[in-house]
Amino acid sequence: MAKNVLVLNGPNLNMLGKREPAIYGAQTLADVEALCRAAGTVFGLSIDFRQSNYEGELVTWIQEALGTADGILINPGAYSHTSVAIYDALKAVALPVAEVHISNIHQREAFRHHSYVSAVAFGVICGFGTLGYRLALEAMAEKLK
Ligand code: DHK
């Protein structure tokens, strides 16, 4: 049976396609969702794809993943660098977590170099553009075998 993966996107990722295209590329969030659904079909995963600009909503969705999802792929956006609440929620549910950043956060401002989420992720992908979502889903499928 297909494993369920909750794909979470944090603040400003709804602006993909319009937002700093030199950094984040031309693809929209709808394009990323389509890419994830296609990867889900290839890797045998059922995809629940969501985005929120609100930290608390992301925390609630992570909590609700307990019992409904087998793994979480998360691009926490700017909350990567600030949110102990998201870190705590991911730690609480103890599901496999793959962290994705579209840009290479290590090549950017110093405040982007640290992610709270990385400490609870089994793997981190950054700098490969939206392809990172597909790579992370492939890694998640292997993890969930
Ligand atoms: C997305 C954001 O919104 C930024 O705040 C992060 C990340 C990087 C990304 O590359 O996908 O710093």
Side-chain angles (χ1 to χ4, degrees):
M1 211 175 69
K3 301 282 187 178
N4 298 318
V5 179
L6 177 61
V7 179
L8 291 180
N9 295 276
N12 297 306
L13 290 164
N14 55 314
M15 298 287 288
L16 282 178
K18 296 186 189 122
R19 173 193 188 199
E20 300 183 88
I23 294 175
Y24 296 104
Q27 286 200 306
T28 65
L29 191 65
D31 294 330
V32 177
E33 179 171 1
L35 176 161
C36 287
R37 294 199 182 284
T41 302
V42 172
F43 301 124
L45 302 170
S46 160
I47 304 294
D48 181 354
F49 189 94
R50 304 184 193 190
Q51 187 274 334
S52 179
N53 291 323
Y54 299 94
E55 185 176 21
E57 188 163 44
L58 291 161
V59 167
T60 297
W61 287 343
I62 292 165
Q63 292 175 0
E64 289 172 354
L66 198 57
T68 60
D70 299 296
I72 299 175
L73 185 163
I74 185 165
N75 181 346
Y79 290 141
S80 317
H81 321 300
T82 62
S83 182
V84 175
I86 289 175
Y87 164 85
D88 280 347
L90 291 169
K91 212 162 179 202
V93 299
L95 291 166
V97 174
E99 179 181 1
V100 172
H101 304 280
I102 294 167
S103 65
N104 181 354
I105 55 173
H106 302 290
Q107 205 176 48
R108 301 181 63 195
E109 302 97 322
F111 65 82
R112 295 186 203 274
H113 295 178
H114 175 262
S115 166
Y116 284 98
V117 170
S118 299
V120 287
F122 71 83
V124 182
I125 290 176
C126 78
F128 293 105
T130 55
L131 173 65
Y133 285 76
R134 183 187 161 93
L135 299 173
L137 286 171
E138 182 172 5
M140 182 66 82
E142 284 297 315
K143 187 81 179 169
L144 296 177
K145 265 183 187 164

mmCIF file of all heavy atoms in Angstrom, residues 48-67:
data_model
loop_
_atom_site.group_PDB
_atom_site.id
_atom_site.type_symbol
_atom_site.label_atom_id
_atom_site.label_comp_id
_atom_site.label_asym_id
_atom_site.label_seq_id
_atom_site.Cartn_x
_atom_site.Cartn_y
_atom_site.Cartn_z
ATOM 1 N N ASP A 48 0.059 14.498 0.368
ATOM 2 C CA ASP A 48 -0.836 15.521 0.928
ATOM 3 C C ASP A 48 -0.031 16.821 0.924
ATOM 4 O O ASP A 48 0.897 16.983 1.723
ATOM 5 C CB ASP A 48 -1.240 15.102 2.347
ATOM 6 C CG ASP A 48 -2.198 16.085 2.998
ATOM 7 O OD1 ASP A 48 -2.483 17.148 2.417
ATOM 8 O OD2 ASP A 48 -2.649 15.792 4.124
ATOM 9 N N PHE A 49 -0.345 17.722 -0.002
ATOM 10 C CA PHE A 49 0.500 18.903 -0.268
ATOM 11 C C PHE A 49 -0.160 20.147 0.313
ATOM 12 O O PHE A 49 -1.308 20.465 -0.021
ATOM 13 C CB PHE A 49 0.660 19.051 -1.785
ATOM 14 C CG PHE A 49 1.666 20.076 -2.204
ATOM 15 C CD1 PHE A 49 2.977 19.715 -2.483
ATOM 16 C CD2 PHE A 49 1.308 21.417 -2.342
ATOM 17 C CE1 PHE A 49 3.914 20.662 -2.880
ATOM 18 C CE2 PHE A 49 2.237 22.363 -2.745
ATOM 19 C CZ PHE A 49 3.542 21.982 -3.015
ATOM 20 N N ARG A 50 0.561 20.875 1.167
ATOM 21 C CA ARG A 50 -0.031 22.064 1.817
ATOM 22 C C ARG A 50 0.978 23.201 1.925
ATOM 23 O O ARG A 50 2.190 22.957 1.968
ATOM 24 C CB ARG A 50 -0.489 21.718 3.233
ATOM 25 C CG ARG A 50 -1.455 20.565 3.284
ATOM 26 C CD ARG A 50 -1.921 20.350 4.702
ATOM 27 N NE ARG A 50 -2.594 19.068 4.834
ATOM 28 C CZ ARG A 50 -3.269 18.693 5.896
ATOM 29 N NH1 ARG A 50 -3.347 19.492 6.945
ATOM 30 N NH2 ARG A 50 -3.856 17.511 5.938
ATOM 31 N N GLN A 51 0.443 24.418 2.054
ATOM 32 C CA GLN A 51 1.286 25.606 2.290
ATOM 33 C C GLN A 51 0.577 26.492 3.298
ATOM 34 O O GLN A 51 -0.649 26.647 3.254
ATOM 35 C CB GLN A 51 1.492 26.381 0.981
ATOM 36 C CG GLN A 51 2.480 27.541 1.049
ATOM 37 C CD GLN A 51 1.860 28.863 1.532
ATOM 38 O OE1 GLN A 51 0.653 29.084 1.375
ATOM 39 N NE2 GLN A 51 2.646 29.730 2.126
ATOM 40 N N SER A 52 1.361 27.097 4.196
ATOM 41 C CA SER A 52 0.790 28.095 5.099
ATOM 42 C C SER A 52 1.799 29.198 5.399
ATOM 43 O O SER A 52 3.004 28.944 5.470
ATOM 44 C CB SER A 52 0.359 27.450 6.420
ATOM 45 O OG SER A 52 -0.175 28.447 7.281
ATOM 46 N N ASN A 53 1.260 30.396 5.586
ATOM 47 C CA ASN A 53 2.099 31.519 6.017
ATOM 48 C C ASN A 53 2.131 31.639 7.532
ATOM 49 O O ASN A 53 2.758 32.553 8.070
ATOM 50 C CB ASN A 53 1.570 32.824 5.402
ATOM 51 C CG ASN A 53 1.775 32.858 3.897
ATOM 52 O OD1 ASN A 53 2.790 32.369 3.396
ATOM 53 N ND2 ASN A 53 0.822 33.413 3.166
ATOM 54 N N TYR A 54 1.435 30.707 8.233
ATOM 55 C CA TYR A 54 1.276 30.808 9.681
ATOM 56 C C TYR A 54 1.997 29.673 10.405
ATOM 57 O O TYR A 54 1.721 28.491 10.156
ATOM 58 C CB TYR A 54 -0.217 30.783 10.047
ATOM 59 C CG TYR A 54 -0.980 31.931 9.434
ATOM 60 C CD1 TYR A 54 -1.633 31.786 8.223
ATOM 61 C CD2 TYR A 54 -0.991 33.178 10.049
ATOM 62 C CE1 TYR A 54 -2.304 32.850 7.635
ATOM 63 C CE2 TYR A 54 -1.656 34.246 9.477
ATOM 64 C CZ TYR A 54 -2.310 34.077 8.267
ATOM 65 O OH TYR A 54 -2.953 35.139 7.702
ATOM 66 N N GLU A 55 2.857 30.056 11.325
ATOM 67 C CA GLU A 55 3.652 29.074 12.070
ATOM 68 C C GLU A 55 2.748 28.086 12.821
ATOM 69 O O GLU A 55 2.969 26.876 12.796
ATOM 70 C CB GLU A 55 4.560 29.833 13.047
ATOM 71 C CG GLU A 55 5.532 28.965 13.804
ATOM 72 C CD GLU A 55 6.462 29.809 14.690
ATOM 73 O OE1 GLU A 55 6.115 30.972 15.016
ATOM 74 O OE2 GLU A 55 7.536 29.297 15.045
ATOM 75 N N GLY A 56 1.713 28.628 13.507
ATOM 76 C CA GLY A 56 0.836 27.774 14.314
ATOM 77 C C GLY A 56 0.078 26.760 13.466
ATOM 78 O O GLY A 56 -0.174 25.629 13.901
ATOM 79 N N GLU A 57 -0.300 27.170 12.263
ATOM 80 C CA GLU A 57 -1.017 26.244 11.376
ATOM 81 C C GLU A 57 -0.086 25.093 10.962
ATOM 82 O O GLU A 57 -0.487 23.929 10.937
ATOM 83 C CB GLU A 57 -1.528 26.990 10.145
ATOM 84 C CG GLU A 57 -2.446 26.139 9.282
ATOM 85 C CD GLU A 57 -3.273 26.952 8.305
ATOM 86 O OE1 GLU A 57 -2.732 27.872 7.664
ATOM 87 O OE2 GLU A 57 -4.482 26.653 8.185
ATOM 88 N N LEU A 58 1.161 25.431 10.676
ATOM 89 C CA LEU A 58 2.138 24.388 10.324
ATOM 90 C C LEU A 58 2.338 23.439 11.509
ATOM 91 O O LEU A 58 2.386 22.214 11.334
ATOM 92 C CB LEU A 58 3.462 25.030 9.896
ATOM 93 C CG LEU A 58 3.396 25.790 8.556
ATOM 94 C CD1 LEU A 58 4.574 26.761 8.424
ATOM 95 C CD2 LEU A 58 3.367 24.838 7.376
ATOM 96 N N VAL A 59 2.426 24.001 12.711
ATOM 97 C CA VAL A 59 2.585 23.177 13.922
ATOM 98 C C VAL A 59 1.392 22.234 14.076
ATOM 99 O O VAL A 59 1.556 21.033 14.336
ATOM 100 C CB VAL A 59 2.756 24.074 15.175
ATOM 101 C CG1 VAL A 59 2.604 23.261 16.461
ATOM 102 C CG2 VAL A 59 4.111 24.784 15.141
ATOM 103 N N THR A 60 0.180 22.752 13.884
ATOM 104 C CA THR A 60 -1.032 21.921 14.006
ATOM 105 C C THR A 60 -1.026 20.806 12.969
ATOM 106 O O THR A 60 -1.339 19.644 13.281
ATOM 107 C CB THR A 60 -2.293 22.802 13.856
ATOM 108 O OG1 THR A 60 -2.297 23.744 14.927
ATOM 109 C CG2 THR A 60 -3.570 21.981 13.913
ATOM 110 N N TRP A 61 -0.670 21.135 11.741
ATOM 111 C CA TRP A 61 -0.635 20.094 10.688
ATOM 112 C C TRP A 61 0.402 19.022 11.023
ATOM 113 O O TRP A 61 0.173 17.840 10.758
ATOM 114 C CB TRP A 61 -0.315 20.724 9.340
ATOM 115 C CG TRP A 61 -1.455 21.521 8.751
ATOM 116 C CD1 TRP A 61 -2.775 21.467 9.111
ATOM 117 C CD2 TRP A 61 -1.372 22.484 7.685
ATOM 118 N NE1 TRP A 61 -3.509 22.335 8.337
ATOM 119 C CE2 TRP A 61 -2.676 22.968 7.456
ATOM 120 C CE3 TRP A 61 -0.325 22.977 6.915
ATOM 121 C CZ2 TRP A 61 -2.954 23.926 6.484
ATOM 122 C CZ3 TRP A 61 -0.603 23.932 5.940
ATOM 123 C CH2 TRP A 61 -1.896 24.393 5.729
ATOM 124 N N ILE A 62 1.538 19.438 11.576
ATOM 125 C CA ILE A 62 2.559 18.449 11.965
ATOM 126 C C ILE A 62 1.996 17.542 13.066
ATOM 127 O O ILE A 62 2.124 16.318 13.014
ATOM 128 C CB ILE A 62 3.857 19.156 12.412
ATOM 129 C CG1 ILE A 62 4.517 19.849 11.213
ATOM 130 C CG2 ILE A 62 4.824 18.153 13.055
ATOM 131 C CD1 ILE A 62 5.590 20.871 11.583
ATOM 132 N N GLN A 63 1.335 18.138 14.054
ATOM 133 C CA GLN A 63 0.744 17.327 15.134
ATOM 134 C C GLN A 63 -0.276 16.343 14.577
ATOM 135 O O GLN A 63 -0.338 15.181 14.985
ATOM 136 C CB GLN A 63 0.076 18.235 16.167
ATOM 137 C CG GLN A 63 1.048 19.082 16.964
ATOM 138 C CD GLN A 63 0.343 20.048 17.898
ATOM 139 O OE1 GLN A 63 -0.887 20.095 17.963
ATOM 140 N NE2 GLN A 63 1.116 20.837 18.618
ATOM 141 N N GLU A 64 -1.096 16.821 13.632
ATOM 142 C CA GLU A 64 -2.153 15.970 13.060
ATOM 143 C C GLU A 64 -1.593 14.854 12.181
ATOM 144 O O GLU A 64 -2.317 13.908 11.849
ATOM 145 C CB GLU A 64 -3.137 16.834 12.257
ATOM 146 C CG GLU A 64 -3.994 17.714 13.149
ATOM 147 C CD GLU A 64 -4.849 18.721 12.399
ATOM 148 O OE1 GLU A 64 -4.717 18.839 11.155
ATOM 149 O OE2 GLU A 64 -5.632 19.420 13.061
ATOM 150 N N ALA A 65 -0.324 14.993 11.787
ATOM 151 C CA ALA A 65 0.296 13.961 10.943
ATOM 152 C C ALA A 65 0.483 12.654 11.707
ATOM 153 O O ALA A 65 0.593 11.581 11.100
ATOM 154 C CB ALA A 65 1.651 14.449 10.418
ATOM 155 N N LEU A 66 0.492 12.753 13.026
ATOM 156 C CA LEU A 66 0.647 11.550 13.843
ATOM 157 C C LEU A 66 -0.572 10.660 13.642
ATOM 158 O O LEU A 66 -1.699 11.049 13.943
ATOM 159 C CB LEU A 66 0.787 11.952 15.318
ATOM 160 C CG LEU A 66 1.377 10.920 16.261
ATOM 161 C CD1 LEU A 66 2.747 10.452 15.809
ATOM 162 C CD2 LEU A 66 1.476 11.499 17.669
ATOM 163 N N GLY A 67 -0.343 9.481 13.076
ATOM 164 C CA GLY A 67 -1.461 8.573 12.829
ATOM 165 C C GLY A 67 -2.039 8.689 11.429
ATOM 166 O O GLY A 67 -2.828 7.842 11.014
#
